[in-house]
Amino acid sequence: MIIQSFWSKPFLKNSNHPNARFKAGWLDEKYFYYSIALSCLKFKEHYSEITLYTDQHGKKVLGDILNLPYTEIHTTLDDLDNYNSNLWALPKLHTYSLQKQPFIHVDTDVFIWEKFPESKVNSPIFCQNIEDNYPIYQETLDAILKIFDFVPTEIVNSLYQNKKVLAFNAGVIGGNDLKFYKNLYSKALEMIHKNEHLFPKIDVGMFNMIFEQLLGHALASKNGIGISPLLENVDPNFAKLTNFHLAGFQTNYVHAIGYAKKSLHACEQIEALLMYEYPEVYKDITQKGLENSLWEKRFEISERRKEYLFTVYDYFRTHDINTLYNTKFKLNPTVKISEKDEISFLEFNSPQINEIEILELQDWENLVFYFEEAISTNELCKQLLEDEDIKQTYTESQLQEKVFSFILDKCILQEILIPEIFNDTNYTKLILSQNLTNSVS
């Protein structure tokens, strides 16, 4: 059973704190609504039923106004109205504790293009990934250990035994050990109630990760409960989880975690993917959102940009990976490369804001020089593997994956690289003409 949760209290509380959840942490309100809609639709496509746990405000907006296609909507999160709005992980734990059958809770910024492996899902605890000594925990954990009146013994013992911080990421979380989730909620509440008078001395936003993910892992470890992660070897920056430019054809799981919610590139892709995959739903949500003043009209995707993205999506989703690796790309002719003080810069027209941006070329960004003439992923990899350092660092398949991701990032997100196959079409002439006009102006 797929479930999601939305607590409107932090969403509505105006705050500039980076770890608060005003607007659910998004760059703009509309991206939260587009995100939860796309997430709901993608999971419903693969699992047919999805239930939302929210409060009265959430039900009114997501159910009554936007009419998102949830199978059921429960307003159980009204029970948490007296809690600090910065405790945004608490409604998740509350929701886990209510389940009476095996479940998968998915955050509203998670998107899939295939079902999760049954071997992973049918576990006592199923999570996105294990976080092995991620630096993000340390500062808040140090403060808690120093300041709090009460820290669960499970956390203390885990730190002592492992000599490092171990946690699970709850972007997706669930399994069949329902007793564990009830116990986790109870332990988290105890930790909150016994220390809430000390909250002004800590970053409460970061505390959420402690009482959900770190405490959860420690509790599972103490009781010998197996944890089955969906993903292995996830870096602390979560870069591979936010590859929207590969969504739907090379990656089937995307999580707009943390900083991605403030990225206009990621936000634009969520809106564009909703528009591309579910055009009628997108049109309906946009109309209702604007009519009910859920957001203001800004950060609009132009018709030219939409046509470009949809053409690229169509091509990448209808060709196999070998064909894509042999597809040639070259620099958009509107791009300008210059050098100052032995540093190279690339000037391009941002397709999101229609303004000139300047990119300093460092490390892998210097690959753009290879695209002054049309070149494919395979051709570029062949040249790069002539370098002994690269040959020692990457296998051929690893390099192909890295180079292809770089190309698609520059193609889809920034339009710095253009697929050569489009060059002879009237459509491409329109794109280049528009970009040239923008560059001149």
Side-chain angles (χ1 to χ4, degrees):
M1 180 174 68
I2 304 296
I3 60 175
Q4 291 188 306
S5 59
F6 170 62
W7 191 33
S8 68
K9 189 172 181 178
F11 181 90
L12 297 171
K13 185 174 181 179
N14 196 331
S15 173
N16 292 322
H17 196 286
N19 296 319
R21 284 298 183 268
F22 178 50
K23 303 179 186 177
W26 289 94
L27 178 66
D28 188 81
E29 293 98 327
K30 76 169 184 175
Y31 295 120
F32 164 72
Y33 294 114
Y34 288 150
S35 174
I36 193 171
L38 181 61
S39 182
C40 173
L41 288 161
K42 293 308 300 179
F43 276 94
K44 193 159 188 180
E45 184 178 318
H46 294 285
Y47 288 95
S48 74
E49 294 188 354
I50 178 168
T51 298
L52 176 67
Y53 290 79
T54 185
D55 46 35
Q56 287 294 338
H57 178 82
K59 180 180 183 299
K60 177 182 177 182
V61 174
L62 302 175
D64 300 340
I65 295 176
L66 297 183
N67 195 30
L68 298 187
Y70 285 102
T71 310
E72 291 182 279
I73 298 180
H74 302 293
T75 56
T76 50
L77 300 188
D78 284 321
D79 296 343
L80 304 180
D81 193 52
N82 291 327
Y83 282 91
N84 188 317
S85 63
N86 288 321
L87 296 172
W88 40 261
L90 186 61
K92 294 176 61 179
L93 295 179
H94 179 69
T95 300
Y96 310 157
S97 73
L98 298 176
Q99 303 312 305
K100 293 180 171 55
Q101 59 181 307
F103 69 94
I104 306 171
H105 181 284
V106 296
D107 285 353
T108 58
D109 56 359
V110 170
F111 318 98
I112 60 168
W113 281 265
E114 67 178 10
K115 294 185 73 170
F116 296 135
E118 289 297 324
S119 59
K120 299 280 188 179
V121 172
N122 295 326
S123 306
I125 301 173
F126 169 60
C127 68
Q128 177 180 278
N129 64 279
I130 300 299
E131 299 184 340
D132 190 336
N133 221 26
Y134 282 19
I136 194 170
Y137 287 89
Q138 200 60 56
E139 183 177 347
T140 302
L141 182 59
D142 289 345
I144 284 171
L145 292 173
K146 181 179 179 180
I147 296 169
F148 272 16
D149 290 339
F150 169 76
V151 177
T153 56
E154 290 85 358
I155 290 179
V156 176
N157 290 341
S158 174
L159 294 172
Y160 178 76
Q161 293 169 5
N162 297 303
K163 310 300 181 188
K164 59 182 179 180
V165 177
L166 289 174
F168 54 56
N169 187 284
V172 295
I173 189 84
N176 54 38
D177 193 331
L178 304 183
K179 182 180 178 181
F180 164 80
Y181 288 104
K182 288 178 172 55
N183 194 14
L184 175 57
Y185 182 51
S186 176
K187 291 280 185 179
L189 283 178
E190 183 181 14
M191 193 176 186
I192 290 167
H193 292 156
K194 290 183 176 180
N195 297 293
E196 57 188 342
H197 61 291
L198 299 169
F199 283 179
K201 297 182 178 181
I202 67 163
D203 184 336
V204 180
M206 288 300 300
F207 174 49
N208 288 274
M209 299 174 62
I210 304 295
F211 72 72
E212 181 186 24
Q213 300 185 156
L214 192 155
L215 176 59
H217 189 284
L219 191 60
S221 179
K222 174 190 175 182
N223 292 287
I225 304 171
I227 302 174
S228 181
L230 173 67
L231 306 170
E232 304 283 352
N233 303 317
V234 175
D235 291 334
N237 63 11
F238 297 103
K240 285 190 175 182
L241 301 189
T242 59
N243 285 338
F244 284 95
H245 55 289
L246 304 175
F249 57 94
Q250 194 174 35
T251 184
N252 292 310
Y253 180 88
V254 174
H255 183 185
I257 192 168
Y259 65 88
K261 294 183 181 67
K262 300 294 187 184
S263 163
L264 186 53
H265 288 153
C267 289
E268 180 206 42
Q269 287 303 300
I270 289 170
E271 180 175 0
L273 287 167
L274 181 62
M275 190 189 300
Y276 176 74
E277 296 197 25
Y278 307 98
E280 294 304 316
V281 175
Y282 171 80
K283 182 179 178 181
D284 185 56
I285 288 175
T286 301
Q287 180 180 339
K288 290 174 178 175
L290 292 172
E291 286 177 351
N292 289 275
S293 301
L294 297 182
W295 65 83
E296 296 178 7
K297 193 171 184 179
R298 52 180 171 249
F299 302 116
E300 297 297 297
I301 298 177
S302 69
E303 282 301 315
R304 185 211 65 79
R305 175 67 171 155
K306 172 185 171 182
E307 190 174 353
Y308 174 83
L309 287 173
F310 284 17
T311 303
V312 171
Y313 292 163
D314 285 343
Y315 180 76
F316 291 133
R317 293 186 179 206
T318 55
H319 292 80
D320 61 50
I321 194 64
N322 291 326
T323 301
L324 298 180
Y325 280 173
N326 285 308
T327 298
K328 293 187 177 185
F329 296 77
K330 69 178 183 179
L331 278 173
N332 185 324
T334 66
V335 164
K336 297 177 183 178
I337 297 179
S338 59
E339 187 174 313
K340 183 178 181 180
D341 299 328
E342 299 184 350
I343 300 174
S344 296
F345 298 90
L346 184 145
E347 182 179 300
F348 69 103
N349 191 69
S350 166
Q352 288 80 28
I353 61 176
N354 197 24
E355 293 179 4
I356 297 298
E357 290 191 359
I358 297 176
L359 175 67
E360 183 179 339
L361 299 179
Q362 296 180 329
D363 301 324
W364 281 86
E365 300 287 353
N366 284 292
L367 287 181
V368 297
F369 286 105
Y370 285 91
F371 295 90
E372 292 178 317
E373 298 293 331
I375 190 171
S376 70
T377 299
N378 281 339
E379 290 171 335
L380 178 52
C381 287
K382 184 177 180 181
Q383 292 188 39
L384 293 175
L385 284 170
E386 293 175 2
D387 183 290
E388 281 300 318
D389 289 339
I390 290 179
K391 193 173 183 179
Q392 292 296 321
T393 305
Y394 301 98
T395 65
E396 182 179 1
S397 61
Q398 288 172 337
L399 187 60
Q400 283 176 321
E401 183 178 330
K402 188 174 183 68
V403 168
F404 186 65
S405 179
F406 170 84
I407 292 173
L408 269 291
D409 178 280
K410 295 293 176 280
C411 170
I412 292 178
L413 303 185
Q414 297 175 311
E415 294 188 32
I416 289 173
L417 300 179
I418 304 294
E420 190 190 40
I421 57 166
F422 297 141
N423 280 354
D424 295 329
T425 68
N426 290 330
Y427 165 65
T428 301
K429 292 175 184 177
L430 173 64
I431 292 175
L432 301 183
S433 172
Q434 180 69 36
N435 279 351
L436 283 167
T437 301
N438 294 336
S439 295
V440 171
S441 62

